[in-house]
Amino acid sequence: MVAPVPVYLPPQWRFGVEQFQELVRANPELRLTGRQNARFLSRLEWWNEQTQLGMVFSTGFPLSNGAIRSPDVAWVPKASWDALTPAEKAGFAPLCPDFVIERVSPSDDTALVQTKMQEYRDNGCRLGWLILPANSTVVIYHASQVLAAPG
């Protein structure tokens, strides 16, 4: 099982905007949540609180193909979550979310995020939204097809 690893920075280190952007570019697997991603997360969480249908996440998932992927926002049905052992729930849950949202930020490589979305789909994700703010487009990855729609 893969467990999250905290990163501690010495207090004397000074991080400016340029250094933070370098950190993001050098570590594309880290999902450093911004305001827009927090909005998606909070809105999905609000819906989930009303329906009680599952669990909302912003964490990594070890997929059946061996990759560990961390969508900006993910949703797992209650039945899938309840089927896990307490130990599995304590770490990265060994399952693929049913729904994911990825928002391409200026520091992201769009082609890599598109590949990641297809990987979720190939590993059992039933619905994914790839949000491309630069061209006001949303690409919908459904279990049976991929659709692009203006945002």
Side-chain angles (χ1 to χ4, degrees), residues 7 37 58-59 61 67-69 75 77 88 92 103 127 129 133 143:
V7 176
N37 293 350
S58 181
T59 189
F61 293 90
I68 297 176
R69 297 291 177 244
W75 180 82
E88 290 171 327
F92 287 150
R103 180 181 174 276
L127 180 63
W129 294 350

Side-chain angles (χ1 to χ4, degrees), residues 1 15 37 39 43 49-50 77 85 99 104 106 115 119-120 133-134:
M1 175 188 322
F15 258 62
N37 293 350
R39 279 189 184 157
R43 289 178 179 163
E49 285 290 322
Q50 305 304 306
T85 67
F99 174 57
V104 175
T115 299
E119 188 174 30
Y120 291 131

Side-chain angles (χ1 to χ4, degrees), residues 60-70 93-97 116 119-125:
F61 293 90
L63 303 178
S64 60
N65 68 353
I68 297 176
R69 297 291 177 244
S70 180
L95 51 76
C96 184
K116 187 176 172 184
E119 188 174 30
Y120 291 131
R121 189 171 171 228
D122 292 344
N123 281 269
C125 183

Side-chain angles (χ1 to χ4, degrees), residues 7 10 35 132:
V7 176
R35 186 176 67 109
L132 302 155

Side-chain angles (χ1 to χ4, degrees), residues 12-59:
Q12 67 271 21
W13 283 16
R14 299 284 180 224
F15 258 62
V17 172
E18 289 178 22
Q19 290 80 16
F20 182 74
Q21 289 174 335
E22 272 184 60
L23 176 69
V24 170
R25 280 191 297 273
N27 297 279
E29 70 283 358
L30 296 178
R31 301 308 295 176
L32 305 168
T33 301
R35 186 176 67 109
Q36 292 299 321
N37 293 350
R39 279 189 184 157
F40 297 133
L41 183 67
S42 66
R43 289 178 179 163
L44 187 59
E45 180 63 32
W46 179 87
W47 169 83
N48 193 64
E49 285 290 322
Q50 305 304 306
T51 64
Q52 298 290 303
L53 293 175
M55 303 291 290
V56 176
F57 295 92
S58 181
T59 189

